[in-house]
Amino acid sequence: MIAKSSPILVLFLAAFGAPQSIPAQKPERPPNFVIIFADDLGYGDLGCYGHPTIRTPNLDRMAAEGLRFTDFYSAASVCTPSRAALMTGRYPVRSGMASAKRRVLFPDSKGGLPAGEITLAEGLKTKGYATGCFGKWHLGHLPQFLPTANGFDTYFGIPYSNDMDAIKGSDSGSLEPKTGDYRPPLLRDAREIERGPDQTRITRRYTEEALAFIEAHRDEPFFVYLPHSMPHVPLFRSEPFVGRSPRGLYGDVLAEIDWSVGRILDTLRDTGLVENTLVFFTSDNGPWLIMDLAGGSAGLLREGKGSTWEGGMREPGIAWWPGRIKPGRVTSELACTMDLYSTCLTLAGAKVPDDRPVDGLDLSPLLFGDSDTKSPRESLIYYRGTEIYAARKGAYKAHFITRAGYGQAAPEAHDPPLLFNLENDPSETIDVSAKHPDVLAEIVRMVAAHGKTVEEVPLQLEIR
Ligand code: MG
């Protein structure tokens, strides 16, 4: 410290004025977040994840400029619980947003995300973020459950799945679906502005809303949540994308989502926000395989949407933040959507709630690290409804119960559980439970410890 009477200080004051007149350094602006969430997109559906005929140049470039995950998971195999986990950083069983009886919310549902949950948007609001949600919400369509009641300043979108409110005789898996067959509401904030919107324009409209929001809030920290209605069936795309893909309608739809990603990244570049924005792309659950050509592909993974085999929950995951994330990295470290909650809150300087169990972990060391950086996540629990069907620890995954994602097949319990090494057998074909009883015992212990942290709560999906 220089004493008050110091001649150096006197000289300094004479030359430059009193220190008070030097403007206080502006606190560094926290980063913006953009989460782009596809619906029912499979692990094998992007160019950069090996699809031979679906072209996704913008997502491929995003991956080349950022970090691509090979082992990124959603926290459930169907829409509503998966979205609840993303928004709360918690396994959906904790918020009551999971059920075996009704696996998602429907237009006659009276439940939704409980007010006591602290959403990512609510957490970011404590740090002054502008928050916008543009797309499919599916965490309750009654006013008290909408994005505008959950920390978002604004909302534009279809509040549940785009195949709901269908007229009789409609065929959502058709390769020539009619948008007029579906009459879901389109909301602006909490107000219905259209009924049965033209779904051929829905991807474009969500994108335009998100872009306008970014432009309007370029001078303050923002969070854009862009959960596309597509490529959930019925599949629709706008005119410029018709007949674009050798993969057919599904490929056309992905071409439009890829275009949307390109527009978002271009706008961040044009507005000079590129080095202060984390963009993350993933999907809510695996491909809806029973939709045949209208459904996606899980690539080399087993099964799809609705199941706790890898195809149901392992998803493409791409993180992009030029200047912070080293380009061209690929990681096989474990991570999941719940981690985005804790990561974004931590990067924003906001508090991760400590009055309840939060399952998300801060991924920033992994995001900003090198090719050999480890993930803080070592395990994952696979729920179907409120029941634990499987669990992964490191390379190994144990199945306690298996069941096809859809159809009449009954659940099959396994004692001893099936055990697969996902590193050398990602397709889950070779049961190694007999060889590794120690690994199985460890996973069983881990699941028991997890189970002790789960409290019984009202099941929101069963309220109607
Ligand atoms: Mg879905």
Side-chain angles (χ1 to χ4, degrees):
M1 264 317 260
I2 299 169
K4 264 193 177 161
S5 57
S6 159
I8 297 168
L9 179 63
V10 172
L11 276 174
F12 174 86
L13 293 178
F16 303 107
Q20 299 89 293
S21 70
I22 299 169
Q25 194 164 11
K26 233 177 130 188
E28 207 183 314
R29 175 179 158 172
N32 313 303
F33 304 109
V34 178
I35 296 179
I36 306 172
F37 213 50
D39 194 347
D40 294 4
L41 174 80
Y43 186 76
D45 280 330
L46 304 184
C48 54
Y49 280 80
H51 198 285
T53 54
I54 295 176
R55 306 268 187 267
T56 50
N58 290 297
L59 281 157
D60 299 355
R61 180 177 169 192
M62 181 181 171
E65 293 174 352
L67 171 60
R68 187 171 72 82
F69 289 81
T70 65
D71 290 49
F72 190 85
Y73 290 87
S74 62
S77 65
V78 289
C79 296
T80 298
S82 170
R83 286 149 204 271
L86 173 70
M87 279 297 119
T88 63
R90 287 147 53 83
Y91 284 109
V93 68
R94 298 194 194 277
S95 55
M97 295 294 280
S99 159
K101 285 191 193 129
R102 296 195 109 196
R103 300 185 72 187
V104 299
L105 291 166
F106 289 90
D108 67 349
S109 297
K110 299 280 188 288
L113 194 65
E117 293 295 324
I118 299 168
T119 66
L120 176 54
E122 285 168 334
L124 294 174
K125 277 317 279 181
T126 66
K127 289 291 166 184
Y129 276 65
T131 51
C133 174
F134 310 99
K136 170 177 171 177
W137 176 240
H138 218 178
L139 295 175
H141 58 275
L142 300 180
Q144 66 271 30
F145 301 124
L146 286 173
T148 42
N150 275 296
F152 287 98
D153 300 329
T154 187
Y155 173 56
F156 176 87
I158 297 174
Y160 38 70
S161 296
N162 65 321
D163 62 339
M164 293 177 177
D165 296 327
I167 64 165
K168 229 178 157 186
S170 62
D171 174 11
S172 61
S174 166
L175 296 179
E176 289 180 337
K178 294 179 193 67
T179 181
D181 284 358
Y182 304 88
R183 307 285 299 157
L186 179 69
L187 306 187
R188 162 93 52 203
D189 299 329
R191 191 166 50 87
E192 181 176 320
I193 54 169
E194 290 172 39
R195 195 86 201 177
D198 174 5
Q199 291 198 35
T200 66
R201 294 183 58 239
I202 205 69
T203 298
R204 178 169 294 267
R205 290 178 78 183
Y206 291 167
T207 305
E208 283 165 358
E209 292 280 338
L211 294 175
F213 185 88
I214 290 171
E215 296 272 7
H217 297 280
R218 59 198 287 176
D219 294 328
E220 58 188 321
F222 61 78
F223 168 40
V224 168
Y225 175 39
L226 176 52
H228 284 290
S229 288
M230 299 290 142
H232 188 291
V233 296
L235 299 171
F236 296 103
R237 74 293 199 218
S238 68
E239 191 55 43
F241 298 92
V242 172
R244 178 83 85 87
S245 172
R247 170 63 177 82
L249 176 58
Y250 188 87
D252 287 357
V253 167
L254 277 198
E256 187 158 25
I257 287 178
D258 183 72
W259 162 85
S260 169
V261 170
R263 292 284 291 121
I264 299 279
L265 301 191
D266 284 348
T267 299
L268 293 171
R269 287 187 188 100
D270 295 346
T271 47
L273 296 169
V274 74
E275 290 189 351
N276 199 29
T277 306
L278 171 63
V279 183
F280 202 96
F281 178 91
T282 187
S283 173
D284 68 334
N285 53 252
W288 207 351
L289 299 177
I290 57 166
M291 293 297 160
D292 298 329
L293 280 176
S297 163
L300 83 176
L301 304 180
R302 188 161 168 178
E303 253 277 1
K305 174 176 178 174
S307 92
T308 44
W309 294 102
E310 288 296 283
M313 288 168 59
R314 205 199 286 198
E315 290 298 328
I318 306 171
W320 185 87
W321 186 348
R324 289 300 303 276
I325 295 175
K326 294 193 180 80
R329 276 176 62 212
V330 177
T331 181
S332 292
E333 290 292 309
L334 206 52
C336 78
T337 52
M338 296 181 292
D339 300 333
L340 298 180
Y341 177 88
S342 300
T343 304
C344 293
L345 288 181
T346 305
L347 288 170
K351 191 175 159 210
V352 176
D354 56 7
D355 61 343
R356 64 196 69 200
V358 171
D359 301 295
L361 299 167
D362 174 18
L363 293 179
S364 37
L366 177 62
L367 293 179
F368 308 137
D370 293 302
S371 53
D372 56 353
T373 307
K374 296 286 172 214
S375 174
R377 176 166 295 282
E378 293 176 335
S379 63
L380 186 78
I381 310 287
Y382 301 64
Y383 277 91
R384 181 169 171 136
T386 55
E387 246 187 308
I388 295 171
Y389 267 43
R392 175 174 180 177
K393 188 166 198 304
Y396 288 95
K397 177 179 174 186
H399 289 265
F400 307 98
I401 309 171
T402 53
R403 188 178 186 182
Y406 287 84
Q408 298 306 312
E412 197 182 338
H414 303 280
D415 188 16
L418 306 176
L419 187 71
F420 298 99
N421 179 334
L422 295 178
E423 283 180 1
N424 60 30
D425 178 24
S427 305
E428 301 174 281
T429 56
I430 303 154
D431 177 18
V432 294
S433 56
K435 278 191 199 151
H436 300 287
D438 50 328
V439 173
L440 258 185
E442 203 183 320
I443 294 179
V444 168
R445 271 198 301 276
M446 175 186 88
V447 168
H450 164 80
K452 288 202 183 95
T453 70
V454 177
E455 287 172 24
E456 211 168 301
V457 296
L459 298 183
Q460 296 292 326
L461 277 53
E462 295 177 10
I463 304 171
R464 54 172 153 172

